[in-house]
């Protein structure tokens, strides 16, 4: 049964609630499936009763957020509204504020799936987190965003990003150039993540001030890292010894996030993955969180999900993945 409901907005909040050229209203229309029309301070919702109730509630919540000074992008509102409708009990504030990460001034990174929300919460509440899953699920991006937010809030003195370079054994000698030139291509994705989230200027300033260090995993040996936010990326290509070495670098006041895809192991045949082993033996240890992503959490191009599924079907469970570990 089609119904209509009027939502009256505070006069000072009308424009930011509606969005530029009513962009926010149009986004909510697409998400809820109702017709929304504005006249003055009144928005009228028309459609099926349950959908109208949902749209009205979203408008009321949106007005509250605007009133609290929160500035929102239309695409973020659409994303958050979709999640609120999918998960009863979830509110716009949960997605857009409480669970959001702010890596830089005016920047907000949102969880796009329930697993990403669990990952963000784990990073906030655990000293060590293992994020395991396929490419495109946001493991590294969210970890870097959390590190930048921690640095801005002065919860850490520095950010350290690391990866196993080339192969697990990190045999760099045959490559041309000095050490920096040898390892830079393998660390470039981490530089890209910093640039995308913090911006060119802020990312460069971090490096200049010594607040950010990007280094191959081999450089971690013998160090004790205190008051730091440390991210180990592509960790499926660590051996068990390397993983143990890395985890035991942790000093007081530090947090670690370890990310990787145990279906994409590049170690020599017969060499177990340190990430796969760590996920097994550390699960249940207090202070350590283990989050598993799936193809449903892929937030890149739609084809990335299809590619992952196609490879899984082709492997018939016989891919290397966790083999030997």
């Amino acid at each position: 049964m089609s119904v209509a409901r009027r939502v009256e907005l505070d006069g000072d909040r009308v424009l930011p609630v509606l969005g530029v050229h009513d962009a926010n209203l149009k986004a909510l229309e697409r998400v809820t499936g109702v017709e929304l029309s504005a006249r003055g301070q009144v928005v009228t919702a028309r459609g099926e009763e349950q959908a109208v109730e949902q749209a009205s509630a979203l408008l009321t919540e949106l007005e509250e957020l605007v009133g609290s000074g929160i500035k929102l992008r239309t695409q973020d509102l659409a994303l958050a509204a979709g999640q609120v409708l999918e998960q009863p009990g979830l509110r716009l504030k949960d997605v857009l504020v409480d669970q959001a990460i702010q890596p830089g001034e005016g920047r907000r990174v949102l969880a796009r799936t329930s697993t990403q929300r669990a990952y963000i919460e784990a990073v906030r509440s655990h000293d060590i987190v293992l994020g395991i899953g396929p490419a495109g699920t946001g493991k590294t991006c969210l970890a870097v965003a959390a590190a930048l937010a921690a640095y801005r809030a002065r919860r850490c003195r520095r950010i350290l990003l690391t990866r196993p370079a080339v192969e697990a054994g990190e045999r760099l000698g045959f490559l041309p150039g000095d050490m920096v030139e040898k390892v830079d291509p393998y660390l470039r994705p981490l530089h890209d993540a910093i640039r995308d989230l913090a911006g060119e200027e802020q990312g460069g300033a971090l490096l200049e001030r010594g607040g950010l260090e990007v280094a191959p995993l081999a450089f971690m040996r013998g160090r004790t890292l205190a008051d730091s936010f440390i991210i180990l990326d592509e960790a499926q290509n660590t051996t068990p010894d390397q993983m143990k070495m890395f985890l035991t670098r942790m000093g007081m006041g530090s947090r670690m996030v370890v990310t990787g895809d145990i279906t994409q192991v590049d170690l020599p045949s017969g060499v177990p993955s340190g990430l796969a082993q760590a996920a097994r033996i550390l699960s249940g240890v207090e202070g350590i969180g283990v989050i598993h992503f799936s193809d449903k959490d892929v937030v890149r191009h739609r084809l990335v999900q299809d590619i992952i599924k196609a490879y899984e079907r082709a492997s018939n469970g016989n891919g290397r993945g966790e083999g030997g570990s």
Side-chain angles (χ1 to χ4, degrees):
M1 182 179 66
S2 182
V3 300
R5 178 169 296 180
R6 290 157 50 95
V7 177
E8 186 169 352
L9 305 173
D10 182 280
D12 294 332
R13 304 175 185 177
V14 173
L15 291 179
V17 168
L18 301 183
V20 178
H21 302 304
D22 293 345
N24 290 346
L25 277 195
K26 293 173 184 176
L28 290 178
E29 279 187 327
R30 290 192 297 271
V31 172
T32 62
V34 305
E35 178 188 344
L36 296 172
S37 58
R39 176 170 293 183
Q41 297 176 217
V42 177
V43 176
T44 302
R46 295 182 176 87
E48 294 299 316
E49 184 173 5
Q50 183 179 2
V52 165
E53 289 180 2
Q54 292 171 330
S56 300
L58 287 170
L59 278 168
T60 300
E61 287 186 55
L62 177 57
E63 184 184 24
E64 292 173 358
L65 289 176
V66 167
S68 65
I70 302 297
K71 295 181 180 179
L72 304 173
R73 299 185 305 173
T74 297
Q75 57 264 44
D76 290 343
L77 171 62
L79 172 65
Q83 293 187 36
V84 168
L85 295 185
E86 291 174 1
Q87 186 172 332
L90 197 65
R91 303 180 70 243
L92 285 179
K93 183 174 181 290
D94 297 329
V95 181
L96 292 168
V97 181
D98 297 342
Q99 298 172 354
I101 305 173
Q102 292 186 282
E105 191 66 35
R107 297 171 183 266
R108 182 180 283 110
V109 177
L110 306 181
R112 294 177 176 270
T113 69
S114 58
T115 308
Q116 286 192 350
R117 289 198 297 274
Y119 183 58
I120 291 172
E121 178 56 34
V123 171
R124 287 173 172 169
S125 59
H126 293 74
D127 290 336
I128 297 176
V129 173
L130 309 184
I132 302 170
T137 50
K139 304 181 301 295
T140 302
C141 176
L142 291 173
V144 171
L148 289 166
Y151 185 82
R152 289 184 67 232
R154 299 184 178 180
R155 295 193 299 271
C156 67
R157 288 192 298 107
R158 62 179 169 178
I159 299 169
L160 198 150
L161 310 179
T162 186
R163 268 185 167 196
V166 190
E167 298 175 307
E170 300 178 356
R171 296 191 289 269
L172 304 173
F174 68 92
L175 293 174
D178 59 22
M179 183 57 69
V180 173
E181 292 171 327
K182 291 176 190 288
V183 302
D184 185 69
Y186 303 96
L187 301 176
R188 179 54 48 188
L190 298 176
H191 284 284
D192 291 344
I194 288 288
R195 185 188 66 242
D196 292 343
L197 292 166
E200 291 281 0
E201 186 174 336
Q202 292 182 7
L206 267 174
L207 281 166
E208 290 176 8
R209 294 195 302 265
L212 171 65
E213 180 182 347
V214 184
L217 179 60
F219 287 17
M220 298 300 102
R221 193 172 299 278
R223 301 178 66 179
T224 299
L225 305 168
D227 299 317
S228 302
F229 198 116
I230 311 145
I231 299 171
L232 170 58
D233 194 35
E234 294 291 320
Q236 74 273 7
N237 289 328
T238 62
T239 65
D241 285 345
Q242 287 175 317
M243 178 62 73
K244 181 179 178 182
M245 177 275 292
F246 172 76
L247 293 174
T248 54
R249 299 309 92 201
M250 188 175 187
M252 298 298 293
S254 288
R255 287 182 181 270
M256 284 183 166
V257 179
V258 179
T259 68
D261 178 1
I262 54 179
T263 69
Q264 297 289 326
V265 178
D266 297 319
L267 294 166
S269 179
V271 178
S273 167
L275 177 59
Q277 183 194 68
R280 287 199 310 272
I281 66 177
L282 298 179
S283 180
V285 175
E286 186 175 355
I288 299 179
V290 181
I291 303 295
H292 290 273
F293 295 83
S294 72
D295 59 86
K296 295 179 181 179
D297 299 301
V298 172
V299 293
R300 290 181 182 170
H301 193 286
R302 175 192 59 80
L303 282 175
V304 175
Q305 279 191 355
D306 295 340
I307 290 168
I308 291 169
K309 291 176 181 178
Y311 271 92
E312 287 177 348
R313 289 194 298 269
S315 69
N316 293 319
N318 295 322
R320 291 193 56 207
E322 295 185 44
S325 61

